Amino acid sequence: MTAIAVLGSTNMDLVAYVPKAPRLGETVTGREFRTVPGGKGANQAVAAARLGGEVVMIGAVGADDFGVRLRSALTAAGVETAALRTVEGASGTAHITVDDEGANSIVVIPGANGTVTGLEAGDASRIGAADCLLLQLELPLEAVLAGAAAARAHGVRTVLTPAPARPLPRELLELIDLLVPNEHEAAALTGSTDPLAAAEALLHEVPEVVVTLGAAGALYAARGREPVTVPAPRVRAVDTTGAGDTFVGALAVALGEGRPMPQALAWAARAASVSVQRPGAQDSMPTRAEVDPGGVL
């Protein structure tokens, strides 16, 4: 079983479903509202656990009702939460609008996530015991750097999802083995709207890059190798929230099992394609039986 450590955010997603997203200054009437456990870190942890990974979550929730629900959701998915601290104040929240085409826009309020500024006792050992460390950018950068440094010290593969997109310091990039931006994040990091050109630019900073392309699949590039594009199954998207996190969680499991990158990418794309056919982030994430051959696609 693949051992995966996740150092990242936990948020309660406050999701409004609308026919069409409002423009600036516009008010629209929605058709449904839901509160759903989320956060990029927790989402990746749940995705990996449901797909067969042995996952530990490192982060923080608030001392509020959302914090109780967030921890319970992780535990129910099979994620180890001993390193998920409870701190005074509010849990993180994400305010999400989803339109009838399944597209979304998100505002994140860090809450308890903002208190995670480094590793605590036992965290480095948890990272060292993993096959892979998953990182995102919804925690303070100091914590991301500390986690990446601990992984490098223990020879653990580091996978960074650079979201929300922001300039990445060289000291962090030097600790990253695999960078997984979506096409918009890749463009923000490089200034190039062409995914292949962006990936090639990022290879000057990290040894491997996967650019996720939504319904078009994913592009893989590595130093000294020809780029590979893996298509995604054609499905009707209901809600794309959490699809990228599903992809990363699945990719971590597949790589930990020793699958070659093209096969790992194809399996991760299948997992993401299952998730977009259902509403919510963690609620939509598939089990292994749904993704393996003979599953729901």
Side-chain angles (χ1 to χ4, degrees):
M1 182 178 290
T2 303
I4 297 169
V6 181
L7 175 61
S9 59
T10 55
N11 293 322
M12 186 60 73
D13 291 349
L14 312 178
V15 190
Y17 293 91
V18 297
K20 185 178 180 181
R23 298 186 300 271
L24 190 64
E26 180 184 15
T27 298
V28 300
T29 299
R31 56 181 170 78
E32 184 181 0
F33 174 77
R34 303 177 68 204
T35 57
V36 185
K40 296 195 73 63
N43 287 348
Q44 292 180 7
V46 168
R50 286 191 179 165
L51 292 167
E54 182 178 313
V55 185
V56 58
M57 179 74 200
I58 305 170
V61 295
D64 56 7
D65 290 342
F66 284 167
V68 173
R69 286 183 58 189
L70 291 167
R71 185 182 297 276
S72 296
L74 286 163
T75 301
V79 177
E80 171 58 56
T81 60
L84 182 67
R85 264 71 73 174
T86 299
V87 301
E88 290 301 318
S91 297
T93 54
H95 304 254
I96 304 172
T97 301
V98 180
D99 68 20
D100 281 350
E101 300 300 317
N104 62 58
S105 59
I106 306 173
V107 175
V108 175
I109 310 297
N113 299 302
T115 70
V116 184
T117 56
L119 301 182
E120 296 195 6
D123 290 347
S125 295
R126 292 181 177 96
I127 292 170
D131 299 306
C132 174
L133 172 66
L134 299 183
L135 298 164
Q136 318 81 34
L137 297 177
E138 288 184 343
L139 295 183
L141 188 60
E142 309 97 284
V144 180
L145 274 165
R152 178 59 55 88
H154 288 89
V156 174
R157 184 178 199 155
T158 55
V159 179
L160 173 63
T161 303
R166 56 177 292 180
L168 300 177
R170 181 170 297 277
E171 60 182 322
L172 175 59
L173 290 167
E174 290 175 346
L175 297 169
I176 300 305
D177 298 306
L178 173 62
L179 190 68
V180 189
N182 64 27
E183 54 192 317
H184 307 295
E185 292 152 2
L189 290 172
T190 65
S192 175
T193 58
D194 177 68
L196 179 57
E200 290 175 342
L202 290 169
L203 289 180
H204 293 292
E205 309 292 344
V206 297
E208 293 182 288
V209 177
V210 171
V211 181
T212 58
L213 305 172
L219 167 69
Y220 170 67
R223 294 171 182 169
R225 299 177 61 179
E226 287 294 316
V228 175
T229 299
V230 175
R234 296 178 63 87
V235 298
R236 181 184 179 278
V238 171
D239 183 356
T240 59
T241 308
D245 297 325
T246 301
F247 180 95
V248 172
L251 182 62
V253 171
L255 292 175
E257 293 175 351
R259 303 191 196 197
M261 184 61 82
Q263 288 90 324
L265 291 170
W267 196 70
R270 283 180 60 86
S273 294
V274 174
S275 76
V276 301
Q277 297 178 72
R278 304 189 283 224
Q282 293 176 20
D283 286 352
S284 72
M285 291 174 175
T287 63
R288 191 178 187 104
E290 292 177 307
V291 179
D292 281 341
V296 298
L297 291 178

